[in-house]
């Protein structure tokens, strides 16, 4: 059951966007989000979906080490996941959400979707941070490995669901400001 879930997790993280990709040559040089210096980056969404796949792979490593009862390696892999996740969320907040906030001024539906998903990801991020912080502080051993496993499975389900929805709906909003104004 866990391995099926992790297969779903990997599949969810490596999904393909269903929107048309804007070729860099189509994007005007000054296509920045209104009121900012944030330029449209034609490779941003592909980079994010690649990061999602890397996060999925790291979570699978955590699980493999846990199943092998290699608790020091489990913690090291969990630490690596934490760093990767923090870097991804920081870039997403700065390069994606800030950009869209300025571009979706006249798109109330898109803005509402973005705000709802931003709030939801903040909650998942805080939950993940508490989970990781706890186990990095107190460790994983025979007495708490089953609890860690159950919590990891629940968090992984929530994160996989969130990322699947993010890639299928939210990421479709990211385009050059000139294209957003023509929607």
């Amino acid at each position: 059951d866990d391995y099926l879930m992790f297969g779903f997790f990997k599949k969810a993280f490596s999904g393909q966007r269903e929107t048309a990709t804007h070729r860099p040559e189509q994007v005007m040089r000054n296509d920045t989000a209104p009121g900012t210096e944030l330029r449209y980056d034609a490779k941003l969404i592909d980079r994010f979906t690649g990061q999602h796949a890397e996060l999925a792979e790291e979570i699978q490593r955590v699980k493999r080490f846990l199943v092998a009862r290699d608790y020091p390696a489990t913690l090291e892999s969990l630490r690596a996941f934490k760093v990767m996740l923090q870097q991804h969320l920081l870039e997403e907040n700065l390069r994606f959400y800030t950009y869209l906030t300025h571009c979706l001024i006249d798109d109330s539906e898109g803005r509402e979707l973005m705000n709802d998903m931003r709030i939801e990801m903040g909650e998942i991020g805080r939950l993940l941070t508490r989970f990781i912080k706890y186990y990095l502080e107190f460790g994983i051993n025979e007495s708490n490995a089953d609890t860690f496993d159950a919590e990891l499975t629940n968090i992984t389900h929530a994160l996989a669901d969130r990322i699947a929805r993010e890639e299928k709906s939210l990421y479709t909003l990211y385009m050059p400001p000139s294209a957003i104004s023509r929607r």
Side-chain angles (χ1 to χ4, degrees):
D1 184 41
D2 282 347
Y3 287 105
L4 291 174
M5 185 268 302
F6 283 106
F8 167 78
F9 189 68
K10 187 170 186 174
K11 182 180 175 187
F13 276 8
S14 59
Q16 298 296 315
R17 285 194 308 154
E18 296 177 9
T19 60
T21 303
H22 298 278
R23 294 191 309 269
E25 63 271 14
Q26 293 176 321
V27 178
M28 298 184 321
R29 217 177 215 351
N30 64 351
D31 220 349
T32 60
T36 75
E37 292 298 318
L38 292 173
R39 294 184 188 279
Y40 172 78
D41 178 353
K43 297 178 182 176
L44 184 68
I45 300 303
D46 289 339
R47 187 165 61 250
F48 284 168
T49 56
Q51 290 169 358
H52 291 163
E54 291 169 5
L55 287 164
E57 288 171 18
E58 195 61 43
I59 281 292
Q60 289 173 348
R61 272 192 284 285
V62 169
K63 182 68 172 183
R64 281 194 305 271
F65 289 131
L66 181 67
V67 168
R69 298 186 187 290
D70 185 344
Y71 303 126
T74 304
L75 287 170
E76 199 53 44
S77 190
L78 187 63
R79 192 173 286 109
F81 176 80
K82 175 186 171 190
V83 169
M84 293 166 64
L85 180 67
Q86 287 173 332
Q87 290 172 341
H88 173 73
L89 293 176
L90 179 62
E91 183 178 16
E92 198 172 60
N93 273 319
L94 294 174
R95 303 281 321 264
F96 181 77
Y97 285 115
T98 301
Y99 176 91
L100 279 184
T101 296
H102 289 275
C103 288
L104 295 175
I105 291 170
D106 296 326
D107 181 352
S108 61
E109 191 175 304
R111 203 172 53 251
E112 182 178 349
L113 172 65
M114 181 203 60
N115 286 332
D116 289 348
M117 291 193 82
R118 188 178 205 176
I119 290 166
E120 178 188 17
M121 192 61 229
E123 292 168 359
I124 292 171
R126 283 187 292 281
L127 177 67
L128 261 168
T129 300
R130 282 193 305 272
F131 167 77
I132 293 169
K133 182 179 178 181
Y134 176 86
Y135 285 102
L136 290 179
E137 183 175 339
F138 295 105
I140 302 169
N141 53 51
E142 287 298 321
S143 67
N144 68 2
D146 288 343
T147 302
F148 173 84
D149 189 21
E151 291 175 1
L152 178 66
T153 298
N154 289 336
I155 288 173
T156 301
H157 277 297
L159 189 59
D161 175 65
R162 160 51 199 232
I163 288 176
R165 289 183 293 113
E166 183 175 81
E167 289 182 359
K168 286 186 169 116
S169 61
L170 185 63
Y171 282 178
T172 65
L173 298 175
Y174 186 79
M175 57 186 72
S178 57
I180 290 173
S181 64
R182 293 191 304 261
R183 278 179 18 129

